[in-house]
Structure formats: C-alpha cells, structure tokens
Amino acid sequence: MRDFTEGRIAKQVIDFSMPIMLGNVLMSAYGIINLIWVGRLLGHKAVAAVAACLPIIMLMPAFLIGLGMATNVLIAQAFGRKDTAMLRKILSNSFFSSILFCLLISLLGILFRHQLLQWVHTPAEIYDMALSYLTIIMAMLVFHFYVNWMNGMLRGLGDATTVVKILLLLAVFNVVLVPLFIRGIGPLPPLGVAGAAWGSGAAAVLTCVIGYVYLLRFNPYINMRKWDYSLDWNIIREVFVIGVPASLQMIVVSLAGVVIVALVNSYGTAVTAAFGIGMQVDMLVTIPFISIGIAATTISGQNLGAGNMERVYETTRISVYFGVISGLVCTAVLLAFPEQIGGLFLKESAESVLVQKYVRDYYRWIAFIFPCFGVIFAIQGVLRSAGDTLALLALSFIAMFLIRIPLAYGLAGPGGFQQDGIWMAMLSSSALAVGLNWLYYRKGPWKKKRLLGNPPHPHRRNEGDCQEDSVYRRI
C-alpha cells in the first residue's frame, strides 16, 4: 500500500503504472495466446467465432467493471483521508452489492445469448462455435468478476505489485489449461472452441481461491471477517452513482463495438478474423494508456481525498505527456510490422494470406489512434478519480454514436471505401474525442465534487485554485 499525497508525482506515475502495465500485459497476453491456440489448433473460422463474441463479452460485464471502478475511487479517497473505518464499510457494501449484480448479469447473458449473437450478425458457419463459447464465458463470469474486484481494491490502496502477482497466476493457468481443454488430455475429451472458454473459466476459479488465501497473509483489508457489515446506503448509493455511468460508458463503447462488428461481418469471415486479430492486438497495445489512466485515477483520488488540487493538476500534465509518448511508439511499431503480427495468429493457408492483408490495411489507419488514446485515458483517469463519470458517459456517447457509427456507415457504404471506411471512422472519432475530453477537463465542474461527505480542505483547495491557470498553461 502506498500514500500518493506526498512525493514526486512523475516518479509515482511511473512506479505505479509500470506494475499495472505489466499486469495488464499479462492479462492481454493470455487472451492473445488463447486466440493463437484457437487459430493454430482449430483454424481461422474458430478465430472468427471468438472474435464475434468479443464485443458481447465486453458488453455484459461492463456494469461490474464500472462498479469496481467506483470502489477503486472510493477506496482511494478514503485512504487519502486516512479513514480506515470508512474503508472497511466500503469493502463490504460494495462487494456484496456488486456480486449480486454479477449473478444477475450472468443469468441475463445466458438467457439472451441467441439474441446477442444474432444482433452482431454472426455468420451461420461459425454460429454454433460462437454460441458454445459465449455460453460458458457468461456462466463463469462471477469468477472473472472476483479477480477484477481484488485487483481494483488493491489499486485503490496503491498496491499494484500484488495485482501483478494475481494476474501472473491467472495468465499461467490460462496458458496451461486452454490448450488442454481445446485438444483434450486423458479422460478429458477434445472440446474445440468451447474448451477455450472452459480453460479460461477454470483458470479464474483457481486464481480466485489462491489469490484470496495469499492476500489473507499480507493485506489487512481483504479479510472478510474484519469488514464492517453495517448496511450503509450512502456507500451503496455512491457506488452506483459513480459506477453506473462508468458502466454505461463502457456499454456505450461496447455497443458501438457491436454495431461496428456487425458492419465488419458483412464483409466476410476473412475481414472478421482480421478485425478479431486487430482487437486482440489493440487490447495489448492499449495497455500503457489504461495503466497510466489507472495510475492517474488512484493518485488523483488520494489527493482529492486529501484536498490537494495542485497535485491533481500536476498528475494530469505528467500523465498526458507519458501517454502521448507511449502512443507514438505504438504507432511506429504497428506501421512497421502489421503482416508479421497477423501471421502470429494463423496457420499457413490461402485464407491466412488474405487475412494478413486485411490486418495490414487495418493498421494503415488504426496505428494512428494510439496517441489519441494517450490523451483521452489520462484525462479520463483524473475525471474518474473525482467520481465525475456522468460526464465521461456523455463524452463517449457523442464520440461513438454521434460521430463514429454514422461516419463508419457513410464511409463504408455503397460507393465508399468498404471496410477501410470503418477504420477511417474509428480514427477520426478518436481524434475528435481528444478535443471533447480536453475541453471538459478545462471547463467542467469536476473539481467541486465531494464523495461520501468528503470534507473540503479550504487551505489546500484554495491554494490549488490559485495556481490552476498556471498549471493549465504548463499542460
């Protein structure tokens, strides 16, 4: 656990974001490795089946991730105030309200799985594979949620190192179990695409059990026997007031992804497979920006709890700089090696050559999206630390549904650029989102929000307000 209310912010952003980055690399790496196993053991149609499920899988748990973000923010601010009693209440109230909601989401995902796959226009030739994969992932969702909850709690306390250990455990279990479930071993029969989902679920179960037992020895807050179980409607209200807009923001992004995948699917399985490969690689490449954004949320959250606005502004400036630099590096790598990246996921065949071509065309445009992410994730991390998630929801809705989707259908439509028009629209909408987020950061009311009766610190806040304009100029 670390206190970020004092010390050099640049060093804190680097020190805290690096283990988060490593943990997220592990998380994305096992997803990519799972897809590589699917592609090399089962072929490009199996890759397309998994790719068709990805936007749905991102959509269904979005509420749970949002509630986890809310817990992270509340824990960070309470930790910044040194309010241990409130911490124990936040842990119990947020965990049990979220776990019940998780079970509801899982049930809905299973009941409406056919409608969800039809919604994304899943091709008939891969429908059965996609259905089995989606059903199992939804059934095992609660275990993935608990891993995510543990990590969010630890990040709010400034403990990113333990997060890496948990995610390393999850990654190792995935790498070992997924191919075994796909191909079968001993009495376990070959399960095909469904085996990838079973292997991932089994990995999450083992990580939940081992992770909790490990944390009992080293973290005084994880022990459920020491939580304060008194029902606190203020905490539950704040969890949902912060978490629901954060969840809806991810749902907006996921719904936009569903619409985009439906449009991509209309160009055939080769384009769908290329897009699926692109999405998996993008998840990996986006990790530096996610990590910097999480670091900005925790560092800003603790300083907001302590009433030190000057350090919040400084966190924004440094996070944006680091994000842009990371984005330019990612752009250069993806422009240089697109076909080699596509070839990692496929066994050699005539179809794989075509898929690699589409991957190259995809990154001719999408490679330039990552410097935009560097700015967006940093700013949104700070805004989220204040609990101002409703504004982030509105900004995402504008970028996705008022800009990206209409532009994609316009550019990819008859007489347009076909699938390349989709990639153009994705890049254009992200560039415009940079301006929208920056404008709100400068003019929005996020600085005045107070969570759980967080008392203002007039001497600190006024000092920060007096210096605000000079800090903005430096940014």
Side-chain angles (χ1 to χ4, degrees):
M1 295 177 287
R2 293 187 60 183
D3 186 346
F4 293 121
T5 58
E6 297 177 348
R8 292 180 55 201
I9 293 177
K11 185 176 186 301
Q12 290 172 345
V13 170
I14 294 173
D15 290 347
F16 191 60
S17 63
M18 289 304 292
I20 293 174
M21 196 177 304
L22 177 58
N24 284 331
V25 165
L26 291 170
M27 199 168 178
S28 292
Y30 81 71
I32 291 174
I33 291 171
N34 289 352
L35 194 63
I36 290 173
W37 280 121
V38 170
R40 291 193 172 271
L41 296 177
L42 302 172
H44 83 282
K45 289 186 178 179
V47 173
V50 174
C53 296
L54 287 178
I56 301 171
I57 292 170
M58 293 172 64
L59 170 65
M60 296 305 293
F63 269 111
L64 308 174
I65 298 172
L67 297 180
M69 287 182 180
T71 302
N72 188 341
V73 169
L74 294 175
I75 286 175
Q77 291 208 13
F79 190 73
R81 293 194 305 271
K82 310 297 189 293
D83 192 344
T84 302
M86 181 60 71
L87 268 176
R88 299 190 188 282
K89 280 189 179 182
I90 291 170
L91 288 168
S92 62
N93 282 269
S94 66
F95 176 76
F96 287 107
S97 59
S98 299
I99 204 79
L100 291 174
F101 202 76
C102 176
L103 295 173
L104 175 61
I105 293 294
S106 181
L107 178 62
L108 291 175
I110 293 172
L111 291 176
F112 295 100
R113 61 192 186 279
H114 290 283
Q115 292 87 340
L116 291 168
L117 288 174
Q118 292 166 7
W119 190 17
V120 297
H121 299 166
T122 305
E125 57 190 312
I126 61 172
Y127 186 88
D128 289 341
M129 290 189 291
L131 180 65
S132 63
Y133 184 85
L134 180 63
T135 303
I136 297 162
I137 289 293
M138 288 294 104
M140 307 295 285
L141 184 62
V142 67
F143 301 104
H144 293 283
F145 159 75
Y146 185 69
V147 173
N148 180 73
W149 182 87
M150 282 194 297
N151 291 339
M153 180 272 296
L154 291 168
R155 286 167 180 155
L157 295 171
D159 184 3
T161 303
T162 305
V163 173
V164 174
K165 296 177 182 178
I166 291 174
L167 291 178
L168 177 60
L169 193 66
L170 182 62
V172 170
F173 282 139
N174 266 272
V175 171
V176 172
L177 295 177
V178 166
L180 295 181
F181 277 84
I182 290 175
R183 301 193 69 172
I185 184 172
L188 180 67
L191 298 175
V193 172
W198 279 118
S200 181
V205 172
L206 291 172
T207 303
C208 286
V209 175
I210 296 174
Y212 180 75
V213 172
Y214 174 81
L215 287 175
L216 280 177
R217 297 180 58 192
F218 301 104
N219 189 300
Y221 297 108
I222 193 66
N223 191 339
M224 293 183 176
R225 290 175 295 179
K226 296 183 179 180
W227 287 358
D228 182 348
Y229 287 94
S230 57
L231 186 64
D232 191 321
W233 287 108
N234 287 329
I235 293 175
I236 295 174
R237 178 180 58 82
E238 291 285 13
V239 167
F240 282 89
V241 166
I242 298 170
V244 169
S247 298
L248 290 175
Q249 180 192 5
M250 287 181 287
I251 288 176
V252 163
V253 174
S254 297
L255 284 174
V258 168
V259 176
I260 293 295
V261 166
L263 182 57
V264 169
N265 286 344
S266 65
Y267 292 98
T269 57
V271 175
T272 299
F275 186 51
I277 291 170
M279 284 193 293
Q280 285 289 348
V281 174
D282 291 350
M283 289 179 189
L284 180 62
V285 176
T286 307
I287 283 173
F289 319 114
I290 294 174
S291 304
I292 292 170
I294 292 172
T297 296
T298 301
I299 295 171
S300 298
Q302 288 193 13
N303 282 287
L304 282 169
N308 194 335
M309 290 300 298
E310 171 65 15
R311 289 180 62 83
V312 176
Y313 301 139
E314 185 73 2
T315 300
T316 306
R317 182 178 68 86
I318 292 170
S319 299
V320 168
Y321 283 169
F322 287 161
V324 171
I325 292 171
S326 301
L328 292 173
V329 172
C330 293
T331 299
V333 172
L334 292 171
L335 286 175
F337 305 105
E339 291 179 327
Q340 291 86 341
I341 291 170
L344 289 174
F345 293 85
L346 303 163
K347 57 184 178 182
E348 292 186 8
S349 65
E351 292 85 357
S352 69
V353 174
L354 181 60
V355 172
Q356 289 179 58
K357 172 188 176 298
Y358 287 139
V359 172
R360 181 195 66 203
D361 294 342
Y362 174 83
Y363 279 117
R364 185 173 61 183
W365 298 99
I366 297 300
F368 294 99
I369 210 171
F370 298 104
C372 301
F373 286 175
V375 179
I376 293 170
F377 278 83
I379 291 176
Q380 291 196 353
V382 174
L383 296 178
R384 192 173 291 115
S385 74
D388 197 4
T389 51
L390 187 60
L392 299 182
L393 168 62
L395 291 169
S396 294
F397 181 83
I398 293 170
M400 294 295 167
F401 280 91
L402 300 187
I403 300 173
R404 176 170 295 186
I405 291 174
L407 198 57
Y409 275 87
L411 292 174
F417 299 94
Q418 297 185 315
Q419 67 267 14
D420 286 344
I422 304 173
W423 322 144
M424 295 177 192
M426 292 170 67
L427 174 59
S428 300
S429 62
S430 295
L432 291 170
V434 170
L436 292 173
N437 280 271
W438 174 248
L439 182 63
Y440 183 80
Y441 174 79
R442 289 291 305 272
K443 304 297 183 182
W446 61 273
K447 299 179 288 296
K448 300 177 182 178
K449 291 182 70 67
R450 291 290 179 270
L451 304 178
L452 292 177
N454 180 14
H457 298 252
H459 63 287
R460 289 187 176 183
R461 192 176 73 255
N462 290 341
E463 177 186 354
D465 289 341
C466 292
Q467 300 179 14
E468 177 180 349
D469 291 338
S470 63
V471 174
Y472 279 140
R473 285 195 293 271
R474 293 200 300 271
I475 297 175

